[in-house]
Amino acid sequence: MATSADPRPSFSTDLEPLPTHAFGHRSLTWWGIIAFFLIEGTAFVLAIAAYFYILDKEQAWPPPPFPPPTMLAGTLFTVLLLLSEIPNTLVKLAAETHDLPRVRRLLVIISLIGAVLMVLRGFELNSLNVLWYQNAYGSAVWMLMVLHTTHIATDWFDTLVLTALMHTDHGGEGRRFVDCSENAIYWRFVWLIWLPIYAMVYWLPRLV
Amino acid sequence: MNERPDPREYLRDGPDLTGAELDRRLTETWRDAPGFIGWLCSVDHKSIGRRYLVTAIVFLSLGGILAALMRLQLSGPNHHVLSPDRYNQIFTMHGTTMMFLFAVPVMDAMAIYLVPLMIGTRNIGFPRLNAFSYWMYVAGGALLWVAFVVNVGPDAGWFSYVPLSGPQYSPGKRVDVWAQMVTFTEIAALSVAVSMTATILKQRAPGMTLARTPLFVWAMLVVSLMVIFSMPAVALASSMLMSDRLVGTHFFNTYEYGDALLWQHLFWFFGHPEVYIIFLPATGFVSEIVGAFSGRQTFGHTAIVLALSATGLLAFGLWVHHMFATGLPRMGYAFYTSASMAVAVPAGIQIFCWIATIWSGRPRFEVPLLWVVGFIVTFVIGGLTGVMLASVPLDLQVHDTYFVVAHFHYVLIGGAVFPLLGAITYWFPKMTGRMMSESIGRWQFWLSFVSFQVAFFPMHILGIEGMPRRVYTYPASMGWGTLNLLSSLGAVLFAVSVVVFVINMIVSLRSGARAPANPWNAPGLEWATSSPPEPYNFAHIPVVRDSTPLWSPELTFARGLRVEDRELVMTTVLEAKPDLREPSAQPTIWPLVAAAATTVVFIATMFTPWALAIGALPVAVALTAWFWPKDRGPEGEPVID
C-alpha cells in the first residue's frame, strides 16, 4: 500500500503550470458566495411566505385605517438601484480585464450610489404609513424592509471596504480582481431580491 | 510586484523535494504558532474538528445528566425530586442541548476533521469561517448553560411553541435565551455548511470525480445543502419570536391577525430536515465502516448516493406531519402521510445496500462493525414506528405521548449515536495515533445496546397506555410505575455505558496501542497519511483513479504545490481535473474577535434592540480586519505585467 510518506512516491500529475486565480465558478470564493445567496435567498423566500400567510389571516390588506405605503421614496430607490447595475456591470468587466484605474473609479461611483440609496431607504422607512407594533400587517412589512435594509447595508459596507482595498497596493493582485467581480455578482443579488419585495410592500396593498 | 521572484524559483514539492526535508518545510508553513495565542488563532481543520468533538461530548454529558435527572424523577409515581418548574426547564434544556449543541455539532466535528483528509486536500475551504463557527457554537452553548445555572433556563420545550413562548405566557428572559442560542448555533452550522460545500465541490484530489467521492463526503454534501435551505427558517422564526417579545411585533399574536401556527410551519420547515441533518452523516459513517470491514467496496455506491439525495429532497416535503394534531385539509393529510412514508424507501435502499455489502464481503466483526449492526437493528425499529406515526389516525392517538418519545430516541440514538460511536472507534487511531481498546469496546457495545432497549422500548407501551410527554410526575393509579422504573434502570445502565466509552477514549489516548497509518486496511485517502496527520495532511497531493484508492496496486501523486506558502489545488466540480492553485488562509485571531463582538451584540439585543445598531460597528471592524490581506500572500506570482 502506498502512502504519501513513502520515500519514493511516483508522480503522475504536475500542478505547477496551473494559474493562481480565475473568475466565476472556477474560484473557491464564488462557491461560497453562491452558498450565501442560497441562505439569504431562502430567508427571503420564507419571509415572503410568512407575509402571505399573515395576509391570508387579515380581512383587508392593508387593514384599515392604514393607507398603503407612499410610493415616492420606494420607487426612487428602486429606479436608482436598477440604474446602479450599469456601473456594476462595468466594474465587473473592468475587473475581469484587470483594468485597475477603471475598477477604482467605478467602485467610487458605486459606493456613492450606495450612500444615496441608504438615505433614500431612510425616507422609505418613514413613508410606510404603519409601524411594526401596530398590527401583524405592520410587522410583516417591517420584517421585509428590515431584512432588505440589513442586506443592502452589508453589501454597501462591503463595497466601501473593497473600494479602499483596491486603492492600496493590494489592488493590483489577481485575487483582488476576483473579489471585485464577485462583489458585483453579490450586488446583483441585492437588487434582484428587492424587486419582489418592492412589489409586495408597495403594489400588493394597492391591488388586493 | 516587480520585486517578486520568478515563479520557477518557488520551492515546490516533487521528486526533488520529498521525504524529511519536505516534511520539515511543510510543517513550518502549515503548523499553528506555539502557545495559547497560537491555539486561539488556529485555522487548521483538524484542531477545529477536535475542539468541536470535545465540546460536543461535554454537551452530551450535560444533556445526559439532565436525562438522568428526568428518569430519576419519573422512576416511580408521585416523586418530588424536581419541582414542576425545574422539570420544565430540564426537559427543555435536555432537548435543546442534545439537538442544537450535541447532535448537529458532533456530526460537523467529524466532518470538519475527516472530509479534507478523505478528499485529499491540505485544509478546509474558508478555514477562518470554520474557526469562527466554532467560537459561535461555544458562545451559544455557554449562553444557554450559564442562563440555566442562574435559573433563566428556557422552559417552553425545545420547539418553543407560541403562544406559550410568547410575551404573554413566558415573561422574563428564559425564551429569549433559547431564541438567541438558536441564532448562535444556526450561524455556526451555516458557516460549516458553506465551508463544507465549497471544499467538497472544489478541493477534491485530482481524479476524484463525483462518482468516486467517498460516501461520507457525499452524505456531508447533501447535509450541507440541507443546512443551507433549512436553517434560515429557524433563524427567521426565532428572530420573529424575539421581536414579538421585545419590540411588540405581532407575527404570532392572533388578536392582531398574526398566527400561532406560522411558528409551527417555520419551525418544522427547519425541524424536520434537522432530523436528517443528524441522520445522514451517520449513514455516511455506516457506508464507510461497512465497506472497510467487509473488505469490499460498499455495495450500490450509486444507489446510496441517490438515496442520500432523495432523502435530502423528501425531508423538505414532510414537515407538516409534526402538525397533524392542529387540523389540516384532507389533501394535506394525504400528502404529508404519503411523503412521510415515502422517505422510508431511500432509507430502506441504504439498509439493503449495507446488508448486501456485509453478505457478499468477508466481514470482520470488530467494534465499529458491531455498532453498525446495532444501528441497523435499532434504526429499523425506530423507522417502523416512524411509518406508523405517518398514519394520521395513529398519530392523533399517540400525539405528545411517550410513544413519540420512544420513536425519536430510537431514530436519533439508534440512528445517529450508535454509528457515531462506531465512527469514533474507527477514526480514533487517525485522530490520535492510538487504537481504542477492543475488549472494552465490545463490552461497552453490548452494555449500550441492551440497556438502550431496556430504557426506551417500554416507552412505546407507556405511550400507547396514554402517558403524555413532559409531565413532571404521574399518580400511582395510572399503573405506569413498573415500566417507568424499568426504563429508568435501563437509562442508568445506558449512561454508565457512555461513561465507559468516554473512559475508553481517555485511557486509549494515553496508553492505547500505537496506530499505523492504516490500521484497518481501509481504502479511503484519509488512511494514506500518518496517524495523526501532519499539519499539512499530505506531503504530496494524491491522484485518484477509483473509489477505493488505497486498495489499488499503486497510489500516485501530484507535484508542484508551493511549499513555503499555504497553497491548495482547486479541481473542477464534476471531473476533479486540476484547475487552479489558490492560497489557503493563515492563522489569525480575528475570527475569535468577530465571534466575541457578535456575542456581545446578540446578548445585548435580548435587552435592547439598539444593541443591533450600536454593536454592528465592532462586528464590522472585526470582519474587515479578518478579510483585509496582511501581506502579498502566497499568490505572489504576478498575473498582470
Side-chain angles (χ1 to χ4, degrees):
Chain A
M1 184 199 66
T3 76
S4 60
D6 276 355
R8 289 180 198 284
S10 81
F11 295 96
S12 57
T13 305
D14 188 2
L15 306 174
E16 186 174 342
L18 299 179
T20 54
H21 79 281
F23 296 94
H25 67 84
R26 294 172 66 195
S27 144
L28 182 74
T29 40
W30 187 87
W31 288 92
I33 286 186
I34 295 298
F36 277 105
F37 281 1
L38 295 177
I39 291 168
E40 291 161 23
T42 307
F44 275 111
V45 166
L46 290 166
I48 288 169
Y51 175 98
F52 279 109
Y53 195 90
I54 290 168
L55 186 153
D56 187 48
K57 308 290 163 196
E58 270 287 7
Q59 315 291 320
W61 201 258
F66 301 100
T70 311
M71 296 287 290
L72 181 64
T75 306
L76 281 176
F77 177 91
T78 309
V79 170
L80 184 58
L81 190 59
L82 286 173
L83 287 175
S84 73
E85 181 51 31
I86 297 169
N88 191 47
T89 298
L90 293 177
V91 80
K92 186 166 183 293
L93 292 174
E96 287 166 12
T97 51
H98 301 129
D99 185 345
L100 184 59
R102 200 170 157 78
V103 165
R104 285 178 172 167
R105 276 198 307 277
L106 286 162
L107 277 175
V108 171
I109 293 172
I110 295 175
S111 300
L112 291 172
I113 292 176
V116 177
L117 285 170
M118 294 307 290
V119 173
L120 281 174
R121 176 51 55 87
F123 282 104
E124 257 194 287
L125 294 177
N126 203 33
S127 59
L128 294 175
N129 297 328
V130 66
L131 291 169
W132 58 88
Y133 54 80
Q134 285 176 313
N135 62 7
Y137 158 76
S139 307
V141 168
W142 276 84
M143 169 178 65
L144 294 177
M145 295 301 294
V146 167
L147 273 178
H148 192 263
T149 305
T150 313
H151 206 211
I152 196 164
T154 312
D155 201 28
W156 180 50
F157 179 76
D158 195 36
T159 306
L160 289 177
V161 173
L162 191 63
T163 307
L165 180 61
M166 292 309 282
H167 281 82
T168 68
D169 275 356
H170 294 289
E173 292 175 21
R175 291 181 55 78
R176 303 288 82 83
F177 288 114
V178 177
D179 291 346
C180 291
S181 167
E182 287 169 357
N183 191 58
I185 301 174
Y186 205 90
W187 188 254
R188 284 181 186 163
F189 180 62
V190 169
W191 68 254
L192 266 174
I193 271 293
W194 169 248
L195 296 180
I197 296 177
Y198 171 67
M200 288 167 69
V201 170
Y202 291 94
W203 289 98
L204 199 70
R206 291 179 159 81
L207 297 177
V208 292
Chain B
M1 262 173 288
N2 294 336
E3 69 273 18
R4 290 179 187 171
D6 186 297
R8 282 162 296 183
E9 293 171 15
Y10 291 114
L11 275 179
R12 296 170 193 276
D13 73 297
D16 301 331
L17 182 54
T18 187
E21 174 65 8
L22 177 63
D23 171 65
R24 188 183 65 74
R25 288 179 182 272
L26 279 175
T27 304
E28 185 59 32
T29 303
W30 285 90
R31 71 186 171 90
D32 292 329
F36 182 61
I37 299 294
W39 187 85
L40 293 177
C41 294
S42 176
V43 295
D44 182 341
H45 75 99
K46 298 181 291 299
S47 308
I48 307 293
R50 278 196 304 267
R51 279 174 215 177
Y52 250 108
L53 185 61
V54 170
T55 312
I57 291 175
V58 168
F59 283 120
L60 168 71
S61 312
L62 292 171
I65 291 168
L66 299 180
L69 286 171
M70 284 189 285
R71 285 319 314 169
L72 182 65
Q73 168 79 1
L74 295 175
S75 59
N78 297 317
H79 281 187
H80 292 281
V81 183
L82 303 170
S83 67
D85 175 63
R86 183 66 72 189
Y87 191 85
N88 285 349
Q89 286 188 64
I90 284 182
F91 74 66
T92 304
M93 287 291 294
H94 170 73
T96 304
T97 300
M98 290 307 201
M99 293 299 278
F100 291 101
L101 301 176
F102 165 66
V104 174
V106 83
M107 298 303 173
D108 281 343
M110 298 297 281
I112 289 168
Y113 192 96
L114 291 170
V115 164
L117 291 167
M118 291 175 124
I119 63 174
T121 186
R122 288 192 169 151
N123 202 355
I124 196 166
F126 313 129
R128 291 179 179 177
L129 185 65
N130 192 40
F132 173 76
S133 86
Y134 175 73
W135 301 120
M136 291 301 289
Y137 159 52
V138 174
L143 167 68
L144 183 75
W145 274 83
V146 168
F148 176 63
V149 169
V150 296
N151 201 29
V152 195
D155 57 356
W158 86 275
F159 37 73
S160 266
Y161 276 179
V162 289
L164 176 62
S165 62
Q168 192 176 359
Y169 298 102
S170 288
K173 291 292 166 200
R174 287 179 171 185
V175 171
D176 300 309
V177 167
W178 181 89
Q180 219 46 325
M181 182 282 312
V182 166
T183 315
F184 277 99
T185 52
E186 299 318 291
I187 289 178
L190 284 165
S191 301
V192 176
V194 170
S195 297
M196 201 57 70
T197 308
T199 308
I200 294 171
L201 292 178
K202 288 300 294 173
Q203 291 183 214
R204 300 194 313 279
M208 186 181 277
T209 62
L210 279 180
R212 293 172 189 159
T213 300
L215 288 166
F216 176 68
V217 177
W218 261 110
M220 285 315 301
L221 179 60
V222 173
V223 164
S224 300
L225 292 173
M226 292 178 73
V227 168
I228 284 170
F229 287 114
S230 69
M231 297 234 175
V234 72
L236 184 71
S238 68
S239 305
M240 289 159 83
L241 178 62
M242 277 198 69
S243 71
D244 266 18
R245 296 174 54 84
L246 295 176
V247 295
T249 53
H250 300 288
F251 295 111
F252 308 122
N253 179 4
T254 320
Y255 298 105
E256 288 292 346
Y257 299 100
D259 195 88
L261 287 185
L262 177 59
W263 170 264
Q264 295 197 25
H265 281 294
L266 287 173
F267 185 86
W268 289 115
F269 187 81
F270 142 81
H272 200 84
E274 167 95 336
V275 178
Y276 297 97
I277 287 166
I278 294 164
F279 170 62
L280 290 186
T283 68
F285 297 148
V286 171
S287 295
E288 297 292 332
I289 291 171
V290 157
F293 286 88
S294 301
R296 58 154 292 167
Q297 187 190 353
T298 306
F299 180 88
H301 193 278
T302 310
I304 290 180
V305 170
L306 290 173
L308 288 167
S309 312
T311 310
L313 286 173
L314 284 170
F316 285 89
L318 36 81
W319 79 94
V320 182
H321 75 208
H322 295 269
M323 299 168 61
F324 281 156
T326 63
L328 292 178
R330 288 261 163 207
M331 182 59 105
Y333 278 135
F335 178 84
Y336 289 104
T337 290
S338 28
S340 307
M341 289 184 175
V343 84
V345 174
I349 288 172
Q350 290 208 68
I351 289 172
F352 284 119
C353 286
W354 297 322
I355 293 173
T357 311
I358 298 174
W359 194 301
S360 60
R362 295 181 304 280
R364 291 176 285 148
F365 284 93
E366 294 179 54
V367 175
L369 193 58
L370 287 182
W371 282 112
V372 165
V373 175
F375 150 78
I376 291 177
V377 172
T378 312
F379 177 72
V380 165
I381 297 173
L384 288 176
T385 55
V387 174
M388 289 165 74
L389 285 169
S391 157
V392 176
L394 191 131
D395 180 83
L396 291 178
Q397 289 300 312
V398 296
H399 182 80
D400 263 350
T401 69
Y402 264 83
F403 189 87
V404 177
V405 178
H407 159 70
F408 66 69
H409 282 90
Y410 264 77
V411 286
L412 286 171
I413 298 182
V417 178
F418 282 11
L420 173 73
L421 298 185
I424 291 177
T425 313
Y426 178 54
W427 280 293
F428 189 85
K430 182 51 60 186
M431 295 182 181
T432 65
R434 304 267 188 178
M435 306 295 289
M436 280 179 75
S437 162
E438 176 80 10
S439 54
I440 298 178
R442 282 178 185 277
W443 277 99
Q444 188 262 329
F445 164 74
W446 285 108
L447 181 60
S448 277
F449 181 74
V450 174
S451 64
F452 170 85
Q453 313 294 341
V454 174
F456 291 97
F457 195 82
M459 291 183 188
H460 292 107
I461 302 164
L462 284 166
I464 290 169
E465 288 178 356
M467 182 170 168
R469 299 167 75 172
R470 300 175 166 175
V471 286
Y472 88 106
T473 191
Y474 50 89
S477 57
M478 298 307 293
W480 299 332
T482 310
L483 285 174
N484 268 305
L485 182 61
L486 185 63
S487 174
S488 294
L489 287 173
V492 169
L493 290 175
F494 188 67
V496 169
S497 81
V498 176
V499 171
V500 171
F501 187 88
V502 174
I503 290 173
N504 189 4
M505 281 175 81
I506 295 168
V507 172
S508 303
L509 188 62
R510 296 162 65 97
S511 55
R514 293 273 178 196
N518 188 1
W520 312 107
N521 188 26
L525 282 187
E526 75 272 30
W527 306 104
T529 183
S530 55
S531 303
E534 301 298 334
Y536 50 84
N537 288 356
F538 298 92
H540 308 289
I541 301 301
V543 176
V544 174
R545 292 199 171 76
D546 55 37
S547 53
T548 51
L550 294 206
W551 288 346
S552 302
E554 187 192 30
L555 185 64
T556 62
F557 299 92
R559 69 158 296 276
L561 282 188
R562 280 163 53 180
V563 168
E564 288 168 316
D565 293 302
R566 294 184 172 211
E567 196 170 62
L568 306 172
V569 55
M570 299 291 136
T571 51
T572 56
V573 171
L574 301 178
E575 296 295 319
K577 291 181 179 153
D579 187 32
L580 293 175
R581 288 176 290 119
E582 284 199 357
S584 178
Q586 300 281 338
T588 172
I589 196 73
W590 289 107
L592 173 57
V593 176
T598 314
T599 301
V600 172
V601 176
F602 282 179
I603 293 177
T605 42
M606 286 163 45
F607 300 93
T608 166
W610 289 107
L612 214 53
I614 300 164
L617 189 66
V619 173
V621 170
L623 291 177
T624 306
W626 166 348
F627 287 108
W628 195 273
K630 306 301 178 295
D631 51 35
R632 286 293 176 79
E635 174 189 39
E637 296 162 51
V639 288
I640 47 170
D641 299 317

